[in-house]
Amino acid sequence: SDGNIDITVVVNDVGMTEEGRDVNEVYGSRENLPFDVTVLEQLTTRELREVLRTETDFLHYIGHVDGYGFECSDGKVDAEHIGETGVDAFFLNACDSYQQGKRLVEAGAIAGVVTLTPISNEEAEEMGKKLARLLNLGFPLYAAISVASVGREYSNYIAIGDSGFNIVQPDASIAACARLR
């Protein structure tokens, strides 16, 4: 590795390209951190399998997932059948992504953020943008979900694997958040 933080953003839902653009602008926006952000759109099953096997620090997936796998332009990819993953951590911003995320952790990923239920495009877009900002600031996965969910009665998002994992270190010794009244 060249010392940079490798982030791959996969947008497999044409209705969610705005989230893809927004998170691309957020990841790597910290001046003193070297990021390599790659955005890929409308992947085939072969291309997504390759992404899941390739070494990357973080995968932000935007699209559709169901019990049979990740939806691609030509079919589905079940993480159970990829062998080992090169993805260290991930955010599967898709409906019911828990099973696929669990399979990625079983295949070698350290941690990830998944959903437990169906989610609306609006919720996915809002959480995608918030989580990207918080992760970029150095929040660990569990804390980013907690902060992004403030004001919601229930969050459909959870962390799996090592929920204390963070993509980058915060500028200070810890990432902090305050609520002003």
Side-chain angles (χ1 to χ4, degrees):
S1 174
D2 56 10
N4 289 354
I5 298 163
D6 294 314
I7 296 182
T8 303
V9 178
V10 173
V11 183
N12 263 9
D13 180 349
V14 292
M16 299 298 287
T17 55
E18 184 179 330
E19 180 187 346
R21 280 192 304 273
D22 289 346
V23 299
N24 181 36
E25 291 174 13
V26 171
Y27 290 127
S29 62
R30 285 176 54 189
E31 205 171 295
N32 59 340
L33 289 173
F35 278 78
D36 286 331
V37 181
T38 304
V39 178
L40 306 168
E41 296 185 10
Q42 303 307 333
L43 300 184
T44 63
T45 54
R46 183 188 58 75
E47 292 166 333
L48 183 59
R49 274 190 209 92
E50 184 63 28
V51 165
L52 294 173
R53 291 179 180 135
T54 300
E55 293 292 323
T56 190
D57 296 308
F58 192 73
L59 169 67
H60 186 129
Y61 177 85
I62 303 163
H64 297 282
V65 172
D66 65 19
Y68 300 104
F70 296 85
E71 192 174 292
C72 296
S73 60
D74 63 344
K76 300 200 183 211
V77 172
D78 188 337
E80 184 173 38
H81 303 295
I82 62 161
E84 275 192 54
T85 186
V87 174
D88 287 343
F90 54 85
F91 175 25
L92 304 183
N93 202 6
C95 294
D96 297 311
S97 61
Y98 174 80
Q99 285 300 325
Q100 292 302 307
K102 180 177 176 248
R103 291 174 182 152
L104 286 175
V105 170
E106 290 167 350
I110 299 166
V113 174
V114 296
T115 61
L116 297 171
T117 62
I119 52 175
S120 68
N121 281 358
E122 294 78 23
E123 180 181 10
E125 192 170 318
E126 179 185 336
M127 286 297 284
K129 292 174 189 178
K130 285 180 178 179
L131 279 177
R133 286 184 191 101
L134 293 164
L135 295 172
N136 191 61
L137 290 171
F139 280 78
L141 297 178
Y142 76 90
I145 295 167
S146 179
V147 172
S149 299
V150 167
R152 294 184 169 275
E153 186 174 318
Y154 171 74
S155 176
N156 293 308
Y157 294 84
I158 64 165
I160 60 174
D162 178 1
S163 64
F165 182 88
N166 52 346
I167 302 169
V168 299
Q169 295 300 313
D171 284 333
S173 59
I174 60 168
C177 183
R179 176 181 251 174
L180 302 176
R181 294 181 188 251

